[in-house]
Amino acid sequence: MTSHLKKVELHCHLEGAAPPALTLAQARKYNIDVSEYLKDGTYVWHDFASFLECYDKISEVYKSAEDYALLTETYLAELADVGTIYSELIVSPDHGKRIGLGADAYIDGVCEGIRRARETSGIEARLIVTGERHFGPDSVVGAAEYAAKAQKPLITGFNLAGEERMGRVADYARAFDIARDIGLGLTIHAGEVCGAFSVADALDVVRPARIGHGVRAIEDSALVSRLADLGTVLEVCPGSNIALKVFPDFASHPLRKLKEAGVRVTISSDDPPFFHTSLKREYDLAASAFGFSDAEIDQLTRTGIEAAFVDEETRQALLARI
Ligand code: ADE
Ligand code: ZN
């Protein structure tokens, strides 16, 4: 349905994109029992907290730099196959440390996967380092400090993900100060599990260029106007929102309302196999569930490129392809 349209994705967690078949092969390779979290080719979770637990467990079967190269190359090849020209992957060097691989080897593996995918399909990709709220403010500062000193040119952004109900944005402000000081693009998960106040917090404390999800801003019309006035870009992931029951169905999802209120919106898949989705499905849903025309969908894609954390030359080259 949208096969003919070029696509970009600004919001996808690398380990969240792991195909179940690849995860199973990895689990067998390392003799790790994932049967509680992966059954009949499907990741098993039942609410946001158990999703995060499942995500962290599944991530543990990717252990070496080559595992990360393979995972990255596999996902980017899938994206390129459906017409995607640009992808930002949310990565967690802290996870690399936790599994004993080390942050540098983790990032180097991911960068090798990007290189291979680009060579085969021409897809461009950049990395957004994330801290995870549920590992606490010190670990989030550690992620920002890593991003600041790593000297990895493909790292161009900083994010905060994980359990949104843990702490307030202000608890993580120092990490964003570190990331801002070295010129990384800033984005933050807010207004997904928590209500409009978390989006207001993000604007008050961090003033990021983009917000991951942000959709519950719809609960506060003044906040929606503020987002529109500021030009803050929302990385909207409708399939994820429905899977996590942020909204009961697509008919009540506010993507169209936000766009009509002048908020700059884009579409992404978040953790596609966990939420039984894909970037292709999100684009198809933009047409079938939200009624956007091809021209409107191209506008979402253009907004994504305008808000991408890339150098101007790359941005112009990408825009020329839409
Ligand atoms: N980590 C992976 N997916 C996430 C999501 N949808 N929200 C917060 N943290 C995440
Ligand atoms: Zn996310």
Side-chain angles (χ1 to χ4, degrees), residues 33-70:
D33 180 9
V34 290
S35 58
E36 193 183 333
Y37 300 98
L38 176 52
K39 283 194 179 84
D40 301 327
T42 301
Y43 294 126
V44 180
W45 54 271
H46 58 273
D47 60 11
F48 186 65
S50 74
F51 156 70
L52 288 177
E53 183 186 325
C54 178
Y55 179 99
D56 286 336
K57 290 288 176 197
I58 291 307
S59 302
E60 286 174 10
V61 308
Y62 295 88
K63 290 196 168 298
S64 69
E66 177 51 33
D67 294 344
Y68 278 96
L70 177 64

Side-chain angles (χ1 to χ4, degrees), residues 201-214:
D201 266 9
L203 294 181
D204 292 344
V205 176
V206 176
R207 182 70 74 91
R210 304 185 342 213
I211 289 182
H213 302 285

